[in-house]
Amino acid sequence: MSKELAITLTIVIIVVLLAIFVTSFVLYRRTPAPKGCENLEPSEEVCGSCKKAGCPIRWGIEKSDEDGKEEKE
Amino acid sequence: MNYFVTFLLAIVSSFLVDNVVLSRFYGICSFVGVSNRVKSAASMGIAVTFVIVLAALVSWPIYVFILVPAELTFMDTIVYILVIASLVQVVGLVVKKFSPSLYKALGIYLPLITTNCAVLGVVQENTAKGASYAYAAADFGTAMANALGTSVGFLVVIVLMACIRTRLEAANTPKAFKGLPIALITAALMALAFMGFQGIGA
């Protein structure tokens, strides 16, 4: 296979996969949550002991803890 | 019959001998972080099982029938990452639409499974040993046995860890060891115990 064809095929495959990912992401966001699950929050029971610093769910928990402390003050 | 026995042995091998967490050290983050309660550990284990099996089912044909013939095997990592991310979104979409109870239990954690290295690790392993177009059928069976065994191994180990940690909470642990330190020591002892399975089938 020629170099140009390989590069073209690489780009096409990546673009197609990215398009599939973006489509699935948009569909997921647009699908309404089931009744009773509209305002789901992470539970302390599951996330309380987790030390993963890069987790966006953990950031949300820490932010809500800080907001709670500010309200008390 | 022989193929069926080989398939079963491959599952047992991935589950016990080469356990994904205790022998290969994948998925440690969720293993230590979510193993606080048996119920949440089981939920996470089942979700990871589902994603690993589906990811292997989708990624293997892409590698063998698209990347290998086109001589683009260097792209395997980026392709797998995109496939896994898309798959998790689709799984989340299906769960959201058809299973409200499952969505309530796992919905917000599903995107976290995308970054679980056990999923990418299993998919990479299935194609790292030279899956070839000529022997597609046999290799696909091995790939699925590896995926199934690995995911069941993850589920069993995370639930075991949760059971042990539940007992440890009631135990008289020194203050300096409470929480994460004793969990890591427990994980090390479990890894030593699972080393006893090395050599099965040799």
Side-chain angles (χ1 to χ4, degrees):
Chain A
M1 181 183 285
S2 68
K3 199 175 174 182
E4 291 79 17
L5 187 60
I7 292 170
T8 310
L9 206 54
T10 306
I11 294 170
V12 165
I13 288 174
I14 290 178
V15 165
V16 165
L17 287 173
L18 272 172
I20 292 171
F21 171 69
V22 168
T23 309
S24 60
F25 182 76
V26 167
L27 284 174
Y28 177 76
R29 288 288 178 184
R30 284 190 177 177
T31 305
K35 280 183 190 173
C37 303
E38 287 87 358
N39 294 314
L40 279 181
E41 285 181 4
S43 69
E44 186 61 29
E45 182 185 333
V46 176
C47 293
S49 64
C50 181
K51 306 293 176 193
K52 188 172 179 178
C55 176
I57 292 178
R58 187 173 174 76
W59 298 340
I61 292 176
E62 285 172 356
K63 194 181 172 206
S64 58
D65 286 345
E66 282 170 9
D67 291 342
K69 282 180 189 170
E70 283 172 10
E71 282 176 9
K72 281 181 186 174
E73 286 169 6
Chain B
M1 187 67 183
N2 277 340
Y3 183 77
F4 182 67
V5 170
T6 309
F7 185 80
L8 280 179
L9 281 175
I11 291 176
V12 170
S13 167
S14 305
F15 166 31
L16 284 178
V17 180
D18 282 327
N19 186 273
V20 63
V21 179
L22 300 177
S23 296
R24 289 181 278 178
F25 307 112
Y26 291 158
I28 300 283
C29 189
S30 51
F31 171 69
V32 174
V34 188
S35 57
N36 223 17
R37 297 281 180 267
V38 177
K39 193 178 169 185
S40 56
S43 302
M44 177 60 91
I46 290 168
V48 169
T49 298
F50 195 54
V51 173
I52 285 178
V53 171
L54 276 181
L57 197 64
V58 172
S59 302
W60 190 91
I62 290 176
Y63 182 85
V64 170
F65 297 115
I66 297 175
L67 296 183
V68 168
E71 296 173 13
L72 296 172
T73 52
F74 61 90
M75 279 178 56
D76 57 351
T77 307
I78 185 80
V79 166
Y80 295 155
I81 288 170
L82 288 170
V83 165
I84 291 166
S86 306
L87 204 59
V88 169
Q89 297 297 323
V90 170
V91 166
L93 179 67
V94 169
V95 167
K96 217 179 194 181
K97 193 87 178 157
F98 297 111
S99 181
S101 56
L102 197 59
Y103 181 75
K104 200 170 184 179
L106 289 175
I108 51 172
Y109 303 112
L110 267 176
L112 284 182
I113 298 172
T114 310
T115 56
N116 189 335
C117 58
V119 183
L120 186 60
V122 167
V123 170
Q124 287 275 18
E125 273 180 10
N126 286 344
T127 52
K129 291 175 186 172
S132 68
Y133 185 73
Y135 298 98
D139 281 346
F140 182 69
T142 310
M144 290 317 298
N146 184 30
L148 207 58
T150 302
S151 51
V152 169
F154 181 87
L155 172 63
V156 167
V157 165
I158 199 171
V159 169
L160 276 175
M161 181 69 163
C163 294
I164 296 171
R165 287 183 76 176
T166 306
R167 295 287 298 269
L168 279 173
E169 277 178 13
N172 192 16
T173 316
K175 192 178 173 185
F177 281 86
K178 280 189 187 296
L180 195 59
I182 196 69
L184 289 174
I185 291 171
T186 308
L189 291 171
M190 286 175 72
L192 281 173
F194 267 68
M195 271 179 71
F197 293 115
Q198 299 286 336
I200 286 179

